[in-house]
Each structure stands twice: as C-alpha cells, then as structure tokens.
Amino acid sequence: MTTAAHTPPPAVDRPTLSIAKEPLEGTVVAHQGAAINRPAWILSSTELARQAGRHAVDNRLYIGWTLRGYGRLARRLADGWRDDYPQLIRTARAELKAAKGDMDAERSMKNAVERYRAEYTRHRRIYAAKTGGWAAAASTAAGVGVVQGGLWVSVLLGMVTVTVGAMRGRPSAIAAEDDPGRIEILAAEGEPFPIADASTRTEAAECVRRALISEGVNVASVEANRRYDWGWEVTVRLKKGTPADLIAKAPELETPLDLPTDGLLCQPLRKKRSRVVLRLVEGDPFEAMPALPDRPPNSLRMRDKALIGKRMDGQATELSFLGVHFIAIASSGGGKSVTLRTIGDVLTACEDVVVVDLDPGGNGLEPLAEAVGVRVVGAEEMHLIEAVLEKLLKIAKARATLLGKLGMGENWIPSREYPAIVALVDEYPQLSQRAKALVVAILRVGRKARVQIGLAAQEATKDAIGAAIADAIALKIVGPSRHQDIVQVFGAGAGANGWRPDRLHPAEGEDPVDAGKIYIMGGGQREPLIHKVIAMSPEEGKRRAAERAKAGRPWIDALSLETAGVRFDDLDTIRPHDRLPEPIELARAAFTAADDPERMTTVELYEYVAAAAPEAWAPAEGEEVEAARNRYLEALRTAAAEIAPTVDMKTRQWRGGRGYYLSTLIELTGEEA
C-alpha cells in the first residue's frame, strides 16, 4: 500500500460534497484498511495486465476459480506424497557428512538415512494405494452413472466437478485456509515475527533468520529441520563468531521469537563448529508421558537397558547401570527424589543387584525399603554409614582377587549367585569427611568389582568428589540447578555447548514447573537434550517393593564376604564415636581416599585437604600455597596435642618427600582401640 510522501493539510469544516465519478487529478491519499480505487490513467501497462488476469480468474463463470481450486488440490496431493521425508533424508545426509571420522555417529546417521528411505517407500506405497482406491471408486461410480444415466447425468457430474473446484478456489476459501495473517509479513524484509506464526519450514527458517539478524548474529544460512508438537528444530550456520556467542544471546532471542522464558535451547555440533541446532520450545515436550513399565520381581538383569523417562524429541530414555557409577544433582524441588526412586525401581527389579540405601539427611528410598539389602538413614547414624562404606570398600578390594578364581576375566560378572552391589548415597555433602573419603576410594576401585556408587545431592559442592567425578563417574544426571553445578559435574565449557540445567526451574508450590526434567551425560546420551523422568508414586513403590521382597531378593555372595572378612549382621554392635577435630578428620580422610598408603607427603596431604574443605583451608586471596599449607599443618598439630598429647606429630623424612605415616594417623584417631 502506497501513501503520500507529504503530510495532508489539517482537517477543517467543509460542506458535504458529492463524490465525483470522473477520475480526479492530484495527490492520491490511501488510508490503512480502506480499499483503494485508483484511476485507470495512473496504472502502468503491467498493472493493467495483472488486473485483467485477476478479473479472468474471478469472472462470473467461475472457470478461473475451478482451475485454481484443482491446482490447490493437486499441490495437497503432492505434499501428502512427499510428507516430510525428503527433508528428513537431506538432513540425515548432512549430519552423516558432518560426522565424518566419528564412527558411532556415522553408523547412527547411516541407519537413520536407511530408515527414512524405507519409511518413505512404505509411506508412498500406502499413500498410492489409498489414493488409487478412492480414485478408482470415484471413477467407477462416475462411469456407471454416465453409462446408465445418459446425457443428464453427464451434465450433472460436470456441474458438480466445476462447483467443487470453484469452492476450493474461491478467494474466501484461500483467505480462510492459506492466509493465517503471515503472508504480508513474510513478503518483504522487515522486523522479526513470532515463531508461532510459522506454519512451514521456510517460514520458520525466515523467522529465525530475522530474529538472529535483529540481535546482531552474523548468519550464513538457516535451515528448519523438523516441527515437533512442542515447537521447531532449526540448524543455523554462522558466518562469523562462535556458537558460544549465539548461546549467550539466547535470552535476548526469546523476545523477538515470542518464546517462553528459557524456551530457546542451543546445541553446537561437535563436527561442525559453525553449525548450531536451535530448539524453539513453544509448549511442553512432556505433556504426554508414558507410564512406568510394570517390572515384576527379578525380571531384569543389570546389563539390560531399562526405561526411566522420555527425551524431548520423543525418544525413550533407556539406561543400563552395569559397571557405571553415577551422580544426580537437582535443587530442592527439582525432582531428585523422583529420579532416585525411578532408578531404585530399576535396580530392585534386577535379579543380580543388591541395593544399599544410605542417606544422612532424609528417608532415602523409603518406598522401596522392603526390596533394599542394607539401609541406613539419618544424620545420627553416620557411624553406621561409615561402617557400611568401609565394608563395601573391603568387598571391592577382595573381589579383585577373586576374578581369576571364578573365571570372570577382567570384570566381575553379576549373576543371581554373585550379584553386583549398588550403594545409593543421597545428600552426599552431609556425609562426614571419612565417609566422603570412603566413597572416593570405592569410586576408584569398585567399577571392575561391580561395587558401584550412585551419588545424589542438591548441589555439586567443590570437595573431594570433584576430582572423582571427572575420573570415575561416567553417568551424570543434572536437573534444575545452579550455574556453577554445570562446571562441577559436566566440566568446563559444557554450558557453552548447550548443557544448561541452570535454565530449568524447580517446583514452585503446587506448580511442578521443570521438576523431574534432567540433562544426561553418559549412558549412551551425548547430546544436550532435556529428558523427563517417569515418576513413581510412593504407594506404587511400596507395592512393588513388597512383591519383590516376597519373591526373594539376592544377597552378597558368601565368597566375597569371607574373602573381605566382613559381615553385615553386626551393624547393631557398632557404637557412635565422638567427632574428631576437622584437621585430624581431614588428614585421616586423605589417607582413606588414597587407598591407605603407607605414608603421604605433606604436599599430597594438603592437596586433598584444600579440595575437600576449600572454604577453611584453601589459600585465601593473596595467600601463598605454602603459607596456607603451613597454616593447616599447624592446626593439625594443635588439634592432635589436645586429644592425643602422647602421639608424636613430627613429620618424618624419607627419600622423595617428608610427611606422615598411616600408623601415626591410626594411632591419633584411636582406630587401634
């Protein structure tokens, strides 16, 4: 619509005039929303030809409408024939090319291409059969009618044919069906528009392109891959900059795209630095969740992949826990208990797993208690938690000596007779320093012995477990959490690669928000996609646990217990002990975490202490490491003089270092008694 370039004169009271029927010379002023009847003399020959064409289409005989209607029907048939498969195949081929050198990714993409091709062939056959069937039926009926009815039936069929086409091609039908209010926006370069207005892949790509340009992102190309029930998946190729630059702008991009808060998820492609997959989440990907499978007693083995949730792209989230230590982090209200309960449901359904439930700050797996082998909960039971962890560490070491004897090769093979052991330790930060050190020691030696640890906490604290996470924990599960937890659990740079659990929100009152939604790294999950854990009610958990207890649960084999020299029926004889001063407790924990070596240098000792309790003993701002180490060693000697003045706390010199012997720490803590 063209308007005058100058401002019209101010309105004044004028007498009513009749509108001239002849063309008027002068400036033509068009008002928004009003029809424009431009005089013929200002129209070009091209515009006159265009109007003649429109008149021919919209003539009273409706021939143009009919042709246009059947043209639209033909395009519908073509779209139905193709569906989304050509685009899916092209995308899979592009991913295959991008994955060059990554054998697992190449194999996955090759399988995807073959699957899409097979599905495309099957779709075309079914579509052709259905279309051909309807066409044959209609043609047969029309032919019989013409033969039997003669001229009048032929005329009637012709009139019906013309009418159907005209109804499909009339301007009002086009406006109602094909014009959702976006054509004018997409027709020219302009401002961004909401992604909800995009109904085709081209429109979605244009929508994202405009939004990126409006925020200063230098884009080379935009390709809309697929539309899900929850929104769009779009691949962007950057002309300049890095994926981290785009990810940093994600909150700003949500405004022009008209997305919910934290509704734009960004995933850089590992093999193509310039490419970033954007997921524009308009709705809840987990609105339709599958039911938790019924798992009869002893129906699973540890090696089996078991369903625990659903991925946002519709894929099932299945995990195997064989030989895998794991950690689950989620803020209060983030669904950590739901996650642990669902994992516990899998493990207690396995015929070759003994589950140990340890929780110093809550009720642990209370709904599944009947199916659990050993259970210790409560802060006042810390001495028992330490005892259980110490027994598990001894079993892990003993099993390493039994592998050859039992013909198991390099790793313990779980069975009903020789089950694996999985200790689920909730509220890890609330453990004592000795308990933490025992956990770290089990993480280092327990995987091959199938004595495994599953940790859970509301936040990933920077303590002794920090080093163990990178070295020993292969499966990492993080729900709504803090930004610093991303680095601590997933590693530095994970946030810039799309791992953003800090953009998930814990439950607020009765509103679950993102509770139960998680990111998973490991266990076959490599992409930063959101998953949601399938919840199990406490009542359902108790019912399943009762059935499993009645059917009989496995127990630790006698050979492992005998070789380790431990038993679990003596826990009621273990008495609480006084808590040691922190410097002494940390020193003893350092030996425990290092698998109780004969001696440790003060440098090695302090490295553990500074990592385990950084707030108290790490170097303060401006403090030298040596000064901080001397400060701790002085505190250690002072504490030792108070509780055991007879113990000689002088450091000992040996070739290669100076420090303390394990026997000195054992005497100091009173373990000999």
Side-chain angles (χ1 to χ4, degrees):
M1 182 181 297
T2 304
T3 59
H6 63 274
T7 304
V12 296
D13 294 334
R14 298 179 184 271
T16 303
L17 301 176
S18 60
I19 300 175
K21 296 183 179 179
E22 297 299 323
L24 299 176
E25 295 186 11
T27 303
V28 178
V29 180
H31 295 278
Q32 186 174 3
I36 303 175
N37 295 316
R38 293 177 289 179
W41 56 267
I42 71 170
L43 300 178
S44 65
S45 58
T46 302
E47 178 63 20
L48 289 171
R50 188 179 295 113
Q51 285 192 1
R54 286 199 296 266
H55 178 74
V57 170
D58 296 333
N59 65 77
R60 294 183 179 180
L61 296 177
Y62 302 116
I63 296 174
W65 290 9
T66 301
L67 294 176
R68 184 165 59 191
Y70 280 107
R72 295 176 66 233
L73 287 173
R75 287 193 296 273
R76 282 192 180 185
L77 287 172
D79 289 341
W81 173 263
R82 291 189 300 266
D83 200 22
D84 288 339
Y85 287 105
Q87 176 68 25
L88 290 173
I89 293 172
R90 285 196 298 272
T91 302
R93 284 175 175 170
E95 293 289 342
L96 175 60
K97 186 176 180 181
K100 188 175 182 180
D102 187 336
M103 296 185 63
D104 291 338
E106 285 188 6
R107 188 182 304 111
S108 175
M109 286 300 103
K110 285 181 180 178
N111 292 337
V113 172
E114 293 174 0
R115 184 173 72 254
Y116 289 146
R117 284 176 174 170
E119 291 178 358
Y120 191 20
T121 300
R122 184 168 59 253
H123 166 75
R124 286 183 294 182
R125 288 175 181 171
I126 295 173
Y127 192 82
K130 289 182 177 179
T131 305
W134 283 107
S139 299
T140 301
V144 172
V146 169
V147 171
Q148 298 294 327
L151 177 62
W152 290 108
V153 173
S154 300
V155 172
L156 179 61
L157 287 175
M159 293 175 63
V160 170
T161 302
V162 172
T163 302
V164 170
M167 293 295 291
R168 293 283 183 178
R170 72 188 190 279
S172 59
I174 295 173
E177 186 172 344
D178 294 341
D179 185 8
R182 298 181 294 278
I183 302 303
E184 291 78 7
I185 297 174
L186 293 177
E189 297 294 329
E191 295 297 318
F193 57 92
I195 188 63
D197 287 347
S199 59
T200 67
R201 284 198 284 277
T202 301
E203 292 177 1
E206 173 67 6
C207 172
V208 172
R209 187 190 70 81
R210 291 190 184 190
L212 293 173
I213 290 175
S214 73
E215 292 298 328
V217 180
N218 205 332
V219 185
S221 66
V222 180
E223 179 183 5
N225 304 330
R226 184 176 176 185
R227 185 172 191 172
Y228 294 91
D229 292 340
W230 45 263
W232 288 92
E233 182 179 278
V234 178
T235 298
V236 174
R237 183 167 69 86
L238 301 175
K239 187 181 295 184
K240 293 174 109 180
T242 65
D245 298 332
L246 193 156
I247 292 173
K249 291 180 178 291
E252 288 77 16
L253 287 166
E254 290 167 0
T255 299
L257 292 169
D258 196 24
L259 289 170
T261 302
D262 298 328
L264 180 61
L265 308 178
C266 308
Q267 175 196 347
L269 295 183
R270 291 175 294 170
K271 296 297 183 180
K272 293 287 185 179
R273 181 175 173 81
S274 65
R275 299 180 189 270
V276 182
V277 176
L278 305 183
R279 294 181 177 88
L280 289 72
V281 184
E282 301 174 69
D284 187 0
F286 308 104
E287 190 171 359
M289 287 290 290
L292 195 68
D294 185 22
R295 298 180 174 119
N298 302 318
S299 60
L300 297 177
R301 292 179 300 173
M302 194 182 200
R303 70 181 66 181
D304 296 336
K305 283 193 171 183
L307 178 70
I308 70 161
K310 176 183 175 182
R311 204 166 68 181
M312 66 181 297
D313 61 356
Q315 299 294 318
T317 304
E318 297 181 332
L319 297 176
S320 169
F321 295 93
L322 179 63
V324 174
H325 300 303
F326 70 88
I327 184 168
I329 302 292
S331 302
S332 177
K336 175 173 62 68
S337 298
V338 171
T339 302
L340 277 187
R341 193 182 302 155
T342 300
I343 293 175
D345 174 63
V346 173
L347 296 175
T348 55
C350 293
E351 67 172 5
D352 53 359
V353 176
V354 175
V355 178
V356 177
D357 181 19
L358 304 176
D359 185 355
N363 289 324
L365 299 177
E366 193 273 333
L368 297 169
E370 287 191 62
V372 168
V374 179
R375 185 166 186 265
V376 182
V377 298
E380 69 281 356
E381 306 293 343
M382 189 63 68
H383 61 294
L384 296 180
I385 293 176
E386 292 177 359
V388 170
L389 290 171
E390 188 171 4
K391 293 173 187 290
L392 295 180
L393 178 59
K394 290 180 179 179
I395 292 173
K397 293 179 180 179
R399 283 187 169 181
T401 67
L402 297 174
L403 293 173
K405 180 178 180 180
L406 296 175
M408 291 185 178
E410 294 184 356
N411 297 303
W412 190 269
I413 301 175
S415 64
R416 178 84 181 186
E417 185 179 3
Y418 299 104
I421 306 170
V422 180
L424 299 181
V425 185
D426 201 356
E427 300 300 345
Y428 168 79
Q430 297 188 33
L431 291 179
S432 67
Q433 291 295 343
R434 176 160 174 75
K436 291 179 181 178
L438 289 165
V439 166
V440 172
I442 295 172
L443 288 173
R444 288 174 174 161
V445 302
R447 188 185 65 81
K448 290 187 175 183
R450 302 305 186 236
V451 179
Q452 299 169 206
I453 294 288
L455 299 178
Q458 294 185 17
E459 58 186 36
T461 56
K462 188 177 180 181
D463 50 20
I465 200 62
I469 287 175
D471 297 337
I473 294 186
L475 177 59
K476 302 161 188 179
I477 303 170
V478 184
S481 55
R482 309 171 306 164
H483 182 73
Q484 52 264 46
D485 294 332
I486 301 174
V487 177
Q488 193 67 17
V489 179
F490 288 147
N497 288 321
W499 302 89
R500 296 301 303 271
D502 59 320
R503 299 187 74 187
L504 299 175
H505 304 280
E508 299 174 358
E510 297 297 323
D511 184 2
V513 196
D514 295 321
K517 295 179 183 179
I518 56 175
Y519 283 82
I520 302 177
M521 181 182 288
Q525 304 294 333
R526 296 183 175 183
E527 308 298 341
L529 291 168
I530 300 176
H531 306 245
K532 186 169 184 178
V533 178
I534 303 174
M536 181 179 65
S537 67
E539 295 73 20
E540 176 65 14
K542 291 179 180 179
R543 184 190 67 79
R544 295 188 181 203
E547 290 180 355
R548 293 165 187 175
K550 184 177 180 180
R553 295 287 300 135
W555 180 241
I556 304 170
D557 59 287
L559 183 59
S560 294
L561 293 172
E562 181 181 352
T563 306
V566 300
R567 39 193 274 239
F568 286 87
D569 58 359
D570 62 347
L571 292 177
D572 58 345
T573 65
I574 299 175
R575 303 269 72 85
H577 54 74
D578 294 333
R579 185 138 187 195
L580 296 168
E582 184 182 50
I584 298 175
E585 188 177 23
L586 285 167
R588 182 63 184 95
F591 275 87
T592 300
D595 200 14
D596 280 346
E598 180 184 4
R599 60 198 179 192
M600 290 183 72
T601 66
T602 55
V603 173
E604 295 169 335
L605 190 69
Y606 177 71
E607 284 180 355
Y608 175 89
V609 170
E615 294 184 359
W617 304 112
E621 185 176 355
E623 185 180 20
E624 296 290 337
V625 174
E626 184 176 356
R629 181 169 64 246
N630 291 335
R631 174 164 56 85
Y632 165 73
L633 293 175
E634 179 62 30
L636 175 62
R637 288 189 290 268
T638 301
E642 292 177 356
I643 68 168
T646 60
V647 177
D648 184 3
M649 290 301 294
K650 292 181 181 179
T651 56
R652 298 289 186 266
Q653 180 72 46
W654 60 82
R655 181 178 297 179
R658 186 178 187 88
Y660 289 105
Y661 280 83
L662 174 62
S663 57
T664 302
L665 270 297
I666 290 177
E667 183 181 2
L668 179 62
T669 58
E671 293 176 51
E672 289 180 333

